[in-house]
Amino acid sequence: MFDVILKNAALSYNNRVVFKDLNLTLEGGQWTCLLGGSGVGKTSLLRFIAGLSTAKGLKTSGTVFCEDHKVLEDRFAWMSQQDSLLPWFNVLENVTLGSRLRNSIFKRNKLSPEDRSRAENIISKVGLANKANELPQNLSGGQRQRVALARTLMEDKPLVLMDEPFGALDAITRLNLQDLACELLQNRTVMLITHDPLEALRLGHHIYHLQGNPATLTEAIIPPGNTPRSLEDRELMTLQGELLERLRQEEVCA
Ligand SMILES: Nc1ncnc2c1ncn2[C@@H]1O[C@H](COP(=O)(O)OP(=O)(O)OP(=O)(O)O)[C@@H](O)[C@H]1O
Ligand SMILES: [Mg+2]
């Protein structure tokens, strides 16, 4: 698994600098978590890494490259807070959307037997085997986010960029989905943006805090132990307290 390296990244919208001189390495096969107040620049940074910085008035400089010097372009999957499921497609059709879109225009609705069986396998791994033919409107928020996770897994990319993927869920569903994502995305390189210090501490190998204006990254926190870390881990709770305090301080200063 390759590292993804960000060097001297800078980004501004209409001359308002969001961040500059940012350096970050996403270590191959590990989870990097990013915390930070609203509007500090987390999504902008993630989009920058993905090469999706296209908004009007936006200027960027700096480089993103892979340690193996191959292009990143077709080697990442994206998962966001909004599940972005297409309402007229059922679960299986949503999960296989990427592969169907890559088919020629005449075969868009045809799924190869291999893709179908892989999709069914993934849908069953996320616990939705009995919902494969349901439309998104008939699913709960947690189930919809499971479909989004299945779609991300179906893409089978080495790098997964996640922008607050569990943000809209209740606490228990969220913990369960964290565990599931941790299990199913093991050995992938993951960058996870979250507002929840506990989520970062349970899942992250490296945790960064983006703060300030222009924003800078703090030194990485590297929690001990294997992921997903237990809620009963005392050190985790202490770190959570420290991080919450730090984030609260940032709100006061903003
Ligand atoms: N297309 C745009 N045009 C102009 N300014 C933008 C645009 N997108 C974002 N911004 C500004 O850039 C800053 C960073 O936005 P960004 O979405 O990266 O923040 P964020 O940390 O992801 O926030 P949140 O936690 O609320 O999702 C904000 O001040 C925002 O208003
Ligand atoms: Mg954001």
Side-chain angles (χ1 to χ4, degrees):
M1 200 54 72
F2 54 91
D3 290 357
V4 178
I5 299 154
L6 181 69
K7 272 230 157 98
N8 300 328
L11 181 145
S12 61
Y13 293 106
N14 306 314
N15 297 326
R16 192 181 88 68
V17 179
V18 177
F19 54 77
K20 60 178 185 180
D21 299 328
L22 272 197
N23 292 292
L24 175 68
T25 297
L26 307 181
E27 290 203 15
Q30 304 218 319
W31 286 54
T32 300
C33 295
L34 185 64
L35 291 161
S38 189
V40 75
K42 303 179 298 298
T43 298
S44 303
L45 178 57
L46 202 68
R47 292 181 70 86
F48 182 95
I49 292 172
L52 299 173
S53 299
T54 51
K56 207 164 160 247
L58 178 138
K59 273 197 197 135
T60 59
S61 61
T63 48
V64 180
F65 61 96
C66 302
E67 189 197 17
D68 60 6
H69 298 292
K70 293 186 187 156
V71 290
L72 185 59
E73 214 172 68
D74 56 353
R75 294 200 288 172
F76 71 87
W78 182 280
M79 186 174 167
S80 58
Q81 180 169 4
Q82 297 79 26
D83 51 55
S84 316
L85 302 182
L86 294 178
W88 54 87
F89 283 149
N90 68 24
V91 168
L92 179 71
E93 290 163 339
N94 266 291
V95 169
T96 54
L97 186 64
S99 31
R100 289 188 297 122
L101 282 176
R102 283 186 290 272
N103 273 341
S104 82
I105 194 150
F106 303 108
K107 289 190 186 162
R108 288 246 154 114
N109 287 322
K110 288 244 154 73
L111 252 189
S112 70
E114 299 78 42
D115 278 354
R116 171 180 284 273
S117 110
R118 207 162 71 78
E120 284 171 348
N121 187 263
I122 291 172
I123 289 169
S124 134
K125 274 191 186 158
V126 301
L128 293 177
N130 58 348
K131 302 279 183 194
N133 298 316
E134 288 288 352
L135 290 176
Q137 68 191 25
N138 300 332
L139 302 178
S140 70
Q143 288 169 338
R144 292 172 63 108
Q145 214 48 358
R146 280 170 190 261
V147 180
L149 178 61
R151 191 178 49 192
T152 307
L153 290 167
M154 187 71 192
E155 289 297 300
D156 196 23
K157 303 291 185 187
L159 175 66
V160 180
L161 303 173
M162 301 172 117
D163 194 356
E164 300 185 46
F166 314 124
L169 304 174
D170 68 86
I172 302 301
T173 308
R174 189 177 183 143
L175 283 172
N176 290 337
L177 265 173
Q178 287 168 2
D179 289 353
L180 187 67
C182 186
E183 179 196 332
L184 299 178
L185 292 173
Q186 230 170 42
N187 303 323
R188 314 265 170 143
T189 310
V190 176
M191 180 154 178
L192 170 76
I193 291 180
T194 175
H195 280 283
D196 177 1
L198 185 58
E199 182 165 288
L201 287 163
R202 291 194 75 223
L203 301 178
H205 297 98
H206 297 88
I207 298 165
Y208 293 92
H209 179 194
L210 189 67
Q211 61 177 5
N213 186 10
T216 53
L217 285 169
T218 54
E219 220 173 280
I221 295 171
I222 304 177
N226 294 331
T227 59
R229 299 186 183 89
S230 161
L231 291 171
E232 282 160 25
D233 182 333
R234 276 167 187 259
E235 194 167 343
L236 209 68
M237 290 302 129
T238 312
L239 281 169
Q240 184 194 16
E242 285 172 18
L243 270 174
L244 276 171
E245 204 47 62
R246 212 197 271 184
L247 290 166
R248 192 161 69 158
Q249 211 52 43
E250 184 185 327
E251 289 286 311
V252 173
C253 297

Short mmCIF file of all heavy atoms in Angstrom, two decimals, residues 39 44 51 159 164 182:
data_model
loop_
_atom_site.label_atom_id
_atom_site.label_comp_id
_atom_site.label_asym_id
_atom_site.label_seq_id
_atom_site.Cartn_x
_atom_site.Cartn_y
_atom_site.Cartn_z
N GLY A 39 -16.01 25.16 8.87
CA GLY A 39 -15.51 26.23 8.00
C GLY A 39 -14.00 26.40 8.01
O GLY A 39 -13.46 27.28 7.35
N SER A 44 -12.36 21.25 1.93
CA SER A 44 -11.52 21.83 0.88
C SER A 44 -10.22 21.04 0.76
O SER A 44 -9.73 20.78 -0.34
CB SER A 44 -11.20 23.30 1.19
OG SER A 44 -12.39 24.02 1.33
N GLY A 51 -8.10 15.97 -6.02
CA GLY A 51 -8.01 16.65 -7.32
C GLY A 51 -9.37 17.16 -7.78
O GLY A 51 -9.65 17.28 -8.96
N LEU A 159 -7.38 3.82 -1.84
CA LEU A 159 -7.52 5.01 -1.00
C LEU A 159 -9.01 5.35 -0.88
O LEU A 159 -9.73 5.39 -1.88
CB LEU A 159 -6.78 6.20 -1.64
CG LEU A 159 -6.94 7.55 -0.96
CD1 LEU A 159 -6.32 7.57 0.44
CD2 LEU A 159 -6.32 8.67 -1.80
N GLU A 164 -17.08 13.15 6.81
CA GLU A 164 -18.13 13.00 7.84
C GLU A 164 -19.15 11.92 7.47
O GLU A 164 -20.37 12.18 7.45
CB GLU A 164 -18.85 14.33 8.04
CG GLU A 164 -17.94 15.45 8.49
CD GLU A 164 -18.74 16.71 8.81
OE1 GLU A 164 -19.77 16.59 9.49
OE2 GLU A 164 -18.33 17.79 8.38
N CYS A 182 -14.36 -0.12 9.85
CA CYS A 182 -13.00 -0.47 10.28
C CYS A 182 -12.65 -1.88 9.81
O CYS A 182 -11.56 -2.13 9.29
CB CYS A 182 -12.93 -0.35 11.80
SG CYS A 182 -11.31 -0.57 12.43
#
